[in-house]
Amino acid sequence: MNYNRVVCFDLEMCCWNVDGVGTTGEIIEVGLAEIDLNKGEIVKRAQYYVRPEHDEISAFCFELTGITPRKVQKQGRPLEDVLKSMIKNFGGPNKIYAAWGHDDDILRKECLEKGLEFPFKEFLNLATLYRIKYRLKDKRIGHKAAQENLNIEWEGRQHSGYVDAYNLAKLALAIL
């Protein structure tokens, strides 16, 4: 296990707004940004589009994420292939993965449903670590708000896995 490196990741899923209630489906994007804790910098980034097997990208999802059905059809690959690329390019079970919230549970559930091996062993929920570090106890805080509280500039469009993973890596460097 390489404890000097942490791979921050963010997932975007098919999503719908039904009567004001948001729901999500299959993963359509995985964004990754690896940090080197010794150097204090982001050393690698990647973006993978995932072609869903059952769900379709709704107009609401496109508005939120900017991901079009055409983009996923042209650039997307099956989740199994994306996981292989993640392991090859970021180290899989040899690295610590981190997200804001429970993206690990979302990925684990979809892997289980599709009969795929979960790609990592070690996971950090940076939202929980942030709440502990800043003594927020029961108060939940979003990724962007947490970053702004630390005066770390948000860069890019929110709800892009690639952008969110990059911003999460900047935040991780500040709190780890």
Side-chain angles (χ1 to χ4, degrees), residues 38-81:
N38 287 333
K39 293 180 181 178
E41 64 186 26
I42 298 167
V43 295
K44 189 186 308 185
R45 294 175 69 186
Q47 175 182 43
Y48 302 107
Y49 289 107
V50 181
R51 193 176 308 124
E53 293 178 12
H54 308 287
D55 294 335
E56 293 184 15
I57 297 172
S58 67
F60 172 78
C61 189
F62 164 68
E63 292 278 328
L64 184 68
T65 67
I67 300 171
T68 64
R70 180 175 166 85
K71 180 175 286 213
V72 168
Q73 201 56 36
K74 288 185 83 167
Q75 298 178 30
R77 298 182 292 149
L79 181 60
E80 181 177 23
D81 294 349

Side-chain angles (χ1 to χ4, degrees), residues 156-172:
R157 177 190 177 137
Q158 193 174 16
H159 300 297
S160 156
Y162 185 69
V163 169
D164 290 355
Y166 172 71
N167 282 296
L168 186 60
K170 293 188 334 180
L171 180 60

Side-chain angles (χ1 to χ4, degrees), residues 3-52:
Y3 290 97
N4 298 319
R5 298 280 182 107
V6 176
V7 180
C8 298
F9 75 102
D10 184 76
L11 304 175
E12 299 301 327
M13 288 82 63
C14 289
C15 51
W16 305 269
N17 185 345
V18 180
D19 298 327
V21 178
T23 59
T24 60
E26 290 177 279
I27 297 165
I28 55 172
E29 182 193 7
V30 180
L32 302 117
E34 184 172 340
I35 59 175
D36 183 313
L37 295 172
N38 287 333
K39 293 180 181 178
E41 64 186 26
I42 298 167
V43 295
K44 189 186 308 185
R45 294 175 69 186
Q47 175 182 43
Y48 302 107
Y49 289 107
V50 181
R51 193 176 308 124

